[in-house]
Amino acid sequence: MASALETKAKEAYFDDHFELALDLYSQAIGINPKKAELYADRAQANIKLNNLPDAVADANKAIELDPSMSKAYLRKATACMKLEEYQTAKAALETGAALAPEESRFSKLIKECEERIAEENGELPKETLDVVPTNVVPVKDVSSVKDVPDPMTVAAPTKSTYRHEFYQKPEEVVVTIFAKGIPPECVKVDYGEQILSVAVNAPGKDAYHFQPRLFGKIIPDKCRYDVLSTKIEIRLAKAEPIHWTSLEFSMEVAVPQRINVSSVAANQRPSYPSSKPKRVDWDKIEAQVKKEEKDEKLDGDAALNKFFRDIYQDADEDARRAMQKSFVESNGTVLSTNWKEVGVKKVEGSPPDGMELKKWEY
């Protein structure tokens, strides 16, 4: 079955039906998830569709399953170069060249990466920069090379039960993925120059894949992650101390540049340190926090607890006493705000239909 799907996928790819090829490769991977060749082929289809983070992920998976597959490193480098991650691409090309020294494309692309890296560092003259080719690999060559596997499987179309958020410091970005009870061995995190790839495959839980192209560049060797009881915490070391306006890259948002102090105009009036403390508007901060709490959308027990908390917060003294007395005396089964009714008698428990209230024995 998997081989038949693979054959159909190859035919679709050679007929330039890349979306169909991608779907067929994904079906084949679902049947045979341990075959590196399938991930390599799907990586190539993703490159054609410009799904570059997915292509990198498929290439990584192929390399994981078969580290000797030279074409997998070529596919990874192709996607990374399109993402302008030339350091990562160069490292993949050097490994691939060692596995297949007769393949001339590795040396050509390594040279191009070196030129691009020098260009980024301002080491090339303008004349040289103008002739650097913008393409990564000729279309003819790409189609002849085997696809490179990515570490990701097909993402489920259903809504993920995981969620993530991030905050930042001048030197790092901390990404938190909320996931309870995930064994550390079920979590795989990979880093590129500007790519984060997270895969969670825990028994009995939905598979989770998160592969954003990051807002700014990072230093992969200095990044790390921890799997805790309720979350996965990932620390990304910034390559430059700039402020990220979002976690993911967007063409609509320009990456801010570092300020060069030497470029400040000489006639600009300097500012001097002051012993006068900076005034903080705590009332404004408190109002903002309350507004965020009020606007927070919760569900389940969290929503119910917030509902009761809001009632208690807005209630007068008698209503609060009634809520406390009725809740305690009924063992948490009754909540009343009528002090005139509750204050004159003991509140009996009222269990839900079909349940029986029993006294706790010490």
Side-chain angles (χ1 to χ4, degrees), residues 81-82 84 86 108-109 111-116 119 124 127-138:
M81 291 181 74
K82 287 180 176 288
E84 298 182 358
Y86 301 113
K108 292 179 181 178
L109 291 175
K111 182 179 179 181
E112 183 175 340
C113 283
E114 290 173 345
E115 291 174 345
R116 293 295 189 178
E119 177 184 343
L124 285 183
E127 293 78 6
T128 307
L129 299 182
D130 291 339
V131 298
V132 175
T134 56
N135 62 310
V136 178
V137 179

PDB file of all heavy atoms in Angstrom, residues 81-82 84 86 108-109 111-116 119 124 127-138:
ATOM      1  N   MET A  81      18.653  27.870   2.690  1.00  0.00           N
ATOM      2  CA  MET A  81      19.148  28.983   1.882  1.00  0.00           C
ATOM      3  C   MET A  81      17.993  29.873   1.425  1.00  0.00           C
ATOM      4  O   MET A  81      18.113  31.094   1.371  1.00  0.00           O
ATOM      5  CB  MET A  81      19.936  28.460   0.687  1.00  0.00           C
ATOM      6  CG  MET A  81      21.266  27.822   1.081  1.00  0.00           C
ATOM      7  SD  MET A  81      22.224  27.212  -0.323  1.00  0.00           S
ATOM      8  CE  MET A  81      22.815  28.742  -1.028  1.00  0.00           C
ATOM      9  N   LYS A  82      16.862  29.270   1.097  1.00  0.00           N
ATOM     10  CA  LYS A  82      15.693  30.069   0.736  1.00  0.00           C
ATOM     11  C   LYS A  82      15.190  30.876   1.934  1.00  0.00           C
ATOM     12  O   LYS A  82      14.604  31.945   1.777  1.00  0.00           O
ATOM     13  CB  LYS A  82      14.584  29.159   0.207  1.00  0.00           C
ATOM     14  CG  LYS A  82      14.848  28.614  -1.193  1.00  0.00           C
ATOM     15  CD  LYS A  82      13.709  27.716  -1.646  1.00  0.00           C
ATOM     16  CE  LYS A  82      13.924  27.249  -3.081  1.00  0.00           C
ATOM     17  NZ  LYS A  82      13.717  28.339  -4.046  1.00  0.00           N
ATOM     18  N   GLU A  84      17.233  32.109   4.028  1.00  0.00           N
ATOM     19  CA  GLU A  84      18.380  32.972   4.310  1.00  0.00           C
ATOM     20  C   GLU A  84      19.099  32.564   5.591  1.00  0.00           C
ATOM     21  O   GLU A  84      19.681  33.389   6.287  1.00  0.00           O
ATOM     22  CB  GLU A  84      17.948  34.444   4.376  1.00  0.00           C
ATOM     23  CG  GLU A  84      17.360  34.948   3.064  1.00  0.00           C
ATOM     24  CD  GLU A  84      16.974  36.414   3.134  1.00  0.00           C
ATOM     25  OE1 GLU A  84      17.135  37.024   4.199  1.00  0.00           O
ATOM     26  OE2 GLU A  84      16.502  36.942   2.102  1.00  0.00           O
ATOM     27  N   TYR A  86      22.015  30.882   6.136  1.00  0.00           N
ATOM     28  CA  TYR A  86      23.174  30.383   5.400  1.00  0.00           C
ATOM     29  C   TYR A  86      24.148  29.592   6.278  1.00  0.00           C
ATOM     30  O   TYR A  86      24.807  28.670   5.785  1.00  0.00           O
ATOM     31  CB  TYR A  86      23.881  31.557   4.722  1.00  0.00           C
ATOM     32  CG  TYR A  86      22.978  32.300   3.764  1.00  0.00           C
ATOM     33  CD1 TYR A  86      22.570  33.608   4.020  1.00  0.00           C
ATOM     34  CD2 TYR A  86      22.497  31.683   2.617  1.00  0.00           C
ATOM     35  CE1 TYR A  86      21.724  34.283   3.149  1.00  0.00           C
ATOM     36  CE2 TYR A  86      21.648  32.340   1.744  1.00  0.00           C
ATOM     37  CZ  TYR A  86      21.264  33.647   2.018  1.00  0.00           C
ATOM     38  OH  TYR A  86      20.411  34.301   1.162  1.00  0.00           O
ATOM     39  N   LYS A 108      29.560  23.868  -4.912  1.00  0.00           N
ATOM     40  CA  LYS A 108      29.032  25.110  -5.478  1.00  0.00           C
ATOM     41  C   LYS A 108      28.156  25.851  -4.469  1.00  0.00           C
ATOM     42  O   LYS A 108      28.257  27.065  -4.312  1.00  0.00           O
ATOM     43  CB  LYS A 108      28.233  24.803  -6.738  1.00  0.00           C
ATOM     44  CG  LYS A 108      29.073  24.299  -7.905  1.00  0.00           C
ATOM     45  CD  LYS A 108      28.198  23.992  -9.114  1.00  0.00           C
ATOM     46  CE  LYS A 108      29.028  23.461 -10.275  1.00  0.00           C
ATOM     47  NZ  LYS A 108      28.177  23.109 -11.437  1.00  0.00           N
ATOM     48  N   LEU A 109      27.306  25.110  -3.772  1.00  0.00           N
ATOM     49  CA  LEU A 109      26.403  25.750  -2.810  1.00  0.00           C
ATOM     50  C   LEU A 109      27.144  26.209  -1.557  1.00  0.00           C
ATOM     51  O   LEU A 109      26.772  27.209  -0.945  1.00  0.00           O
ATOM     52  CB  LEU A 109      25.269  24.788  -2.447  1.00  0.00           C
ATOM     53  CG  LEU A 109      24.278  24.503  -3.576  1.00  0.00           C
ATOM     54  CD1 LEU A 109      23.266  23.452  -3.167  1.00  0.00           C
ATOM     55  CD2 LEU A 109      23.561  25.787  -3.991  1.00  0.00           C
ATOM     56  N   LYS A 111      30.137  27.401  -1.578  1.00  0.00           N
ATOM     57  CA  LYS A 111      30.735  28.672  -1.995  1.00  0.00           C
ATOM     58  C   LYS A 111      29.704  29.787  -1.971  1.00  0.00           C
ATOM     59  O   LYS A 111      29.985  30.906  -1.517  1.00  0.00           O
ATOM     60  CB  LYS A 111      31.335  28.531  -3.396  1.00  0.00           C
ATOM     61  CG  LYS A 111      32.029  29.804  -3.894  1.00  0.00           C
ATOM     62  CD  LYS A 111      32.626  29.607  -5.288  1.00  0.00           C
ATOM     63  CE  LYS A 111      33.294  30.892  -5.771  1.00  0.00           C
ATOM     64  NZ  LYS A 111      33.863  30.733  -7.136  1.00  0.00           N
ATOM     65  N   GLU A 112      28.503  29.491  -2.434  1.00  0.00           N
ATOM     66  CA  GLU A 112      27.448  30.514  -2.424  1.00  0.00           C
ATOM     67  C   GLU A 112      27.095  30.906  -0.993  1.00  0.00           C
ATOM     68  O   GLU A 112      26.877  32.085  -0.701  1.00  0.00           O
ATOM     69  CB  GLU A 112      26.209  29.995  -3.156  1.00  0.00           C
ATOM     70  CG  GLU A 112      25.103  31.042  -3.239  1.00  0.00           C
ATOM     71  CD  GLU A 112      23.908  30.589  -4.060  1.00  0.00           C
ATOM     72  OE1 GLU A 112      24.072  29.647  -4.865  1.00  0.00           O
ATOM     73  OE2 GLU A 112      22.832  31.173  -3.887  1.00  0.00           O
ATOM     74  N   CYS A 113      27.018  29.918  -0.101  1.00  0.00           N
ATOM     75  CA  CYS A 113      26.735  30.224   1.312  1.00  0.00           C
ATOM     76  C   CYS A 113      27.812  31.126   1.897  1.00  0.00           C
ATOM     77  O   CYS A 113      27.511  32.073   2.639  1.00  0.00           O
ATOM     78  CB  CYS A 113      26.630  28.931   2.125  1.00  0.00           C
ATOM     79  SG  CYS A 113      25.074  28.053   1.918  1.00  0.00           S
ATOM     80  N   GLU A 114      29.069  30.816   1.603  1.00  0.00           N
ATOM     81  CA  GLU A 114      30.170  31.631   2.121  1.00  0.00           C
ATOM     82  C   GLU A 114      30.069  33.070   1.624  1.00  0.00           C
ATOM     83  O   GLU A 114      30.332  34.023   2.367  1.00  0.00           O
ATOM     84  CB  GLU A 114      31.502  31.005   1.718  1.00  0.00           C
ATOM     85  CG  GLU A 114      31.789  29.687   2.440  1.00  0.00           C
ATOM     86  CD  GLU A 114      33.034  29.001   1.915  1.00  0.00           C
ATOM     87  OE1 GLU A 114      33.506  29.382   0.813  1.00  0.00           O
ATOM     88  OE2 GLU A 114      33.539  28.078   2.595  1.00  0.00           O
ATOM     89  N   GLU A 115      29.681  33.240   0.363  1.00  0.00           N
ATOM     90  CA  GLU A 115      29.525  34.587  -0.181  1.00  0.00           C
ATOM     91  C   GLU A 115      28.374  35.321   0.506  1.00  0.00           C
ATOM     92  O   GLU A 115      28.475  36.505   0.820  1.00  0.00           O
ATOM     93  CB  GLU A 115      29.288  34.508  -1.696  1.00  0.00           C
ATOM     94  CG  GLU A 115      30.495  34.039  -2.474  1.00  0.00           C
ATOM     95  CD  GLU A 115      30.177  33.843  -3.959  1.00  0.00           C
ATOM     96  OE1 GLU A 115      28.972  33.790  -4.297  1.00  0.00           O
ATOM     97  OE2 GLU A 115      31.128  33.741  -4.759  1.00  0.00           O
ATOM     98  N   ARG A 116      27.276  34.604   0.749  1.00  0.00           N
ATOM     99  CA  ARG A 116      26.126  35.214   1.414  1.00  0.00           C
ATOM    100  C   ARG A 116      26.451  35.595   2.857  1.00  0.00           C
ATOM    101  O   ARG A 116      26.040  36.645   3.353  1.00  0.00           O
ATOM    102  CB  ARG A 116      24.934  34.256   1.381  1.00  0.00           C
ATOM    103  CG  ARG A 116      24.371  34.018  -0.003  1.00  0.00           C
ATOM    104  CD  ARG A 116      23.786  35.277  -0.573  1.00  0.00           C
ATOM    105  NE  ARG A 116      23.050  35.026  -1.810  1.00  0.00           N
ATOM    106  CZ  ARG A 116      22.414  35.941  -2.495  1.00  0.00           C
ATOM    107  NH1 ARG A 116      22.452  37.195  -2.086  1.00  0.00           N
ATOM    108  NH2 ARG A 116      21.772  35.642  -3.608  1.00  0.00           N
ATOM    109  N   GLU A 119      28.558  38.580   2.790  1.00  0.00           N
ATOM    110  CA  GLU A 119      27.709  39.734   2.462  1.00  0.00           C
ATOM    111  C   GLU A 119      26.980  40.237   3.707  1.00  0.00           C
ATOM    112  O   GLU A 119      26.889  41.441   3.951  1.00  0.00           O
ATOM    113  CB  GLU A 119      26.699  39.328   1.383  1.00  0.00           C
ATOM    114  CG  GLU A 119      25.715  40.440   1.015  1.00  0.00           C
ATOM    115  CD  GLU A 119      24.681  39.962   0.018  1.00  0.00           C
ATOM    116  OE1 GLU A 119      24.912  38.910  -0.621  1.00  0.00           O
ATOM    117  OE2 GLU A 119      23.652  40.635  -0.122  1.00  0.00           O
ATOM    118  N   LEU A 124      31.974  41.847   1.612  1.00  0.00           N
ATOM    119  CA  LEU A 124      32.102  41.781   0.166  1.00  0.00           C
ATOM    120  C   LEU A 124      31.926  43.156  -0.457  1.00  0.00           C
ATOM    121  O   LEU A 124      31.070  43.924  -0.027  1.00  0.00           O
ATOM    122  CB  LEU A 124      31.032  40.845  -0.419  1.00  0.00           C
ATOM    123  CG  LEU A 124      31.267  39.338  -0.235  1.00  0.00           C
ATOM    124  CD1 LEU A 124      30.151  38.583  -0.926  1.00  0.00           C
ATOM    125  CD2 LEU A 124      32.603  38.897  -0.787  1.00  0.00           C
ATOM    126  N   GLU A 127      30.483  45.264  -6.038  1.00  0.00           N
ATOM    127  CA  GLU A 127      30.552  44.594  -7.322  1.00  0.00           C
ATOM    128  C   GLU A 127      30.358  43.100  -7.169  1.00  0.00           C
ATOM    129  O   GLU A 127      29.726  42.448  -7.985  1.00  0.00           O
ATOM    130  CB  GLU A 127      31.903  44.866  -8.003  1.00  0.00           C
ATOM    131  CG  GLU A 127      32.104  46.318  -8.424  1.00  0.00           C
ATOM    132  CD  GLU A 127      32.469  47.209  -7.251  1.00  0.00           C
ATOM    133  OE1 GLU A 127      32.681  46.668  -6.146  1.00  0.00           O
ATOM    134  OE2 GLU A 127      32.541  48.435  -7.431  1.00  0.00           O
ATOM    135  N   THR A 128      30.952  42.559  -6.105  1.00  0.00           N
ATOM    136  CA  THR A 128      30.825  41.128  -5.884  1.00  0.00           C
ATOM    137  C   THR A 128      29.406  40.765  -5.513  1.00  0.00           C
ATOM    138  O   THR A 128      28.861  39.763  -5.939  1.00  0.00           O
ATOM    139  CB  THR A 128      31.786  40.677  -4.759  1.00  0.00           C
ATOM    140  OG1 THR A 128      33.093  41.125  -5.090  1.00  0.00           O
ATOM    141  CG2 THR A 128      31.759  39.172  -4.594  1.00  0.00           C
ATOM    142  N   LEU A 129      28.785  41.625  -4.672  1.00  0.00           N
ATOM    143  CA  LEU A 129      27.431  41.342  -4.222  1.00  0.00           C
ATOM    144  C   LEU A 129      26.460  41.305  -5.376  1.00  0.00           C
ATOM    145  O   LEU A 129      25.517  40.536  -5.398  1.00  0.00           O
ATOM    146  CB  LEU A 129      26.981  42.408  -3.209  1.00  0.00           C
ATOM    147  CG  LEU A 129      27.810  42.496  -1.928  1.00  0.00           C
ATOM    148  CD1 LEU A 129      27.213  43.549  -1.009  1.00  0.00           C
ATOM    149  CD2 LEU A 129      27.877  41.157  -1.229  1.00  0.00           C
ATOM    150  N   ASP A 130      26.685  42.158  -6.396  1.00  0.00           N
ATOM    151  CA  ASP A 130      25.742  42.239  -7.485  1.00  0.00           C
ATOM    152  C   ASP A 130      25.691  40.965  -8.317  1.00  0.00           C
ATOM    153  O   ASP A 130      24.691  40.674  -8.961  1.00  0.00           O
ATOM    154  CB  ASP A 130      26.090  43.421  -8.408  1.00  0.00           C
ATOM    155  CG  ASP A 130      25.841  44.751  -7.704  1.00  0.00           C
ATOM    156  OD1 ASP A 130      25.066  44.735  -6.732  1.00  0.00           O
ATOM    157  OD2 ASP A 130      26.419  45.771  -8.134  1.00  0.00           O
ATOM    158  N   VAL A 131      26.784  40.196  -8.314  1.00  0.00           N
ATOM    159  CA  VAL A 131      26.804  39.021  -9.166  1.00  0.00           C
ATOM    160  C   VAL A 131      26.502  37.746  -8.407  1.00  0.00           C
ATOM    161  O   VAL A 131      26.501  36.675  -8.983  1.00  0.00           O
ATOM    162  CB  VAL A 131      28.186  38.875  -9.854  1.00  0.00           C
ATOM    163  CG1 VAL A 131      28.469  40.056 -10.751  1.00  0.00           C
ATOM    164  CG2 VAL A 131      29.297  38.714  -8.816  1.00  0.00           C
ATOM    165  N   VAL A 132      26.257  37.856  -7.104  1.00  0.00           N
ATOM    166  CA  VAL A 132      25.932  36.647  -6.354  1.00  0.00           C
ATOM    167  C   VAL A 132      24.571  36.152  -6.799  1.00  0.00           C
ATOM    168  O   VAL A 132      23.600  36.895  -6.751  1.00  0.00           O
ATOM    169  CB  VAL A 132      25.909  36.930  -4.834  1.00  0.00           C
ATOM    170  CG1 VAL A 132      25.450  35.692  -4.084  1.00  0.00           C
ATOM    171  CG2 VAL A 132      27.293  37.334  -4.370  1.00  0.00           C
ATOM    172  N   PRO A 133      24.430  34.927  -7.236  1.00  0.00           N
ATOM    173  CA  PRO A 133      23.141  34.436  -7.723  1.00  0.00           C
ATOM    174  C   PRO A 133      22.143  34.350  -6.605  1.00  0.00           C
ATOM    175  O   PRO A 133      22.491  34.048  -5.469  1.00  0.00           O
ATOM    176  CB  PRO A 133      23.480  33.030  -8.265  1.00  0.00           C
ATOM    177  CG  PRO A 133      24.735  32.650  -7.559  1.00  0.00           C
ATOM    178  CD  PRO A 133      25.481  33.910  -7.323  1.00  0.00           C
ATOM    179  N   THR A 134      20.883  34.646  -6.904  1.00  0.00           N
ATOM    180  CA  THR A 134      19.836  34.616  -5.880  1.00  0.00           C
ATOM    181  C   THR A 134      19.161  33.275  -5.803  1.00  0.00           C
ATOM    182  O   THR A 134      18.444  32.995  -4.868  1.00  0.00           O
ATOM    183  CB  THR A 134      18.772  35.691  -6.176  1.00  0.00           C
ATOM    184  OG1 THR A 134      18.264  35.461  -7.504  1.00  0.00           O
ATOM    185  CG2 THR A 134      19.375  37.081  -6.107  1.00  0.00           C
ATOM    186  N   ASN A 135      19.372  32.437  -6.818  1.00  0.00           N
ATOM    187  CA  ASN A 135      18.734  31.127  -6.771  1.00  0.00           C
ATOM    188  C   ASN A 135      19.529  30.212  -5.859  1.00  0.00           C
ATOM    189  O   ASN A 135      20.702  30.403  -5.591  1.00  0.00           O
ATOM    190  CB  ASN A 135      18.654  30.521  -8.171  1.00  0.00           C
ATOM    191  CG  ASN A 135      20.028  30.317  -8.757  1.00  0.00           C
ATOM    192  OD1 ASN A 135      20.840  31.227  -8.762  1.00  0.00           O
ATOM    193  ND2 ASN A 135      20.288  29.110  -9.238  1.00  0.00           N
ATOM    194  N   VAL A 136      18.885  29.169  -5.389  1.00  0.00           N
ATOM    195  CA  VAL A 136      19.536  28.220  -4.498  1.00  0.00           C
ATOM    196  C   VAL A 136      20.035  27.015  -5.264  1.00  0.00           C
ATOM    197  O   VAL A 136      21.202  26.700  -5.288  1.00  0.00           O
ATOM    198  CB  VAL A 136      18.546  27.787  -3.396  1.00  0.00           C
ATOM    199  CG1 VAL A 136      19.196  26.755  -2.498  1.00  0.00           C
ATOM    200  CG2 VAL A 136      18.127  29.000  -2.587  1.00  0.00           C
ATOM    201  N   VAL A 137      19.118  26.343  -5.930  1.00  0.00           N
ATOM    202  CA  VAL A 137      19.502  25.184  -6.721  1.00  0.00           C
ATOM    203  C   VAL A 137      18.686  25.222  -7.998  1.00  0.00           C
ATOM    204  O   VAL A 137      17.488  25.481  -7.947  1.00  0.00           O
ATOM    205  CB  VAL A 137      19.203  23.869  -5.964  1.00  0.00           C
ATOM    206  CG1 VAL A 137      19.585  22.676  -6.812  1.00  0.00           C
ATOM    207  CG2 VAL A 137      19.978  23.840  -4.668  1.00  0.00           C
ATOM    208  N   PRO A 138      19.293  25.009  -9.183  1.00  0.00           N
ATOM    209  CA  PRO A 138      18.509  24.982 -10.426  1.00  0.00           C
ATOM    210  C   PRO A 138      17.398  23.957 -10.316  1.00  0.00           C
ATOM    211  O   PRO A 138      17.564  22.901  -9.719  1.00  0.00           O
ATOM    212  CB  PRO A 138      19.546  24.579 -11.494  1.00  0.00           C
ATOM    213  CG  PRO A 138      20.859  24.997 -10.895  1.00  0.00           C
ATOM    214  CD  PRO A 138      20.715  24.825  -9.417  1.00  0.00           C
TER     215      PRO A 138
END
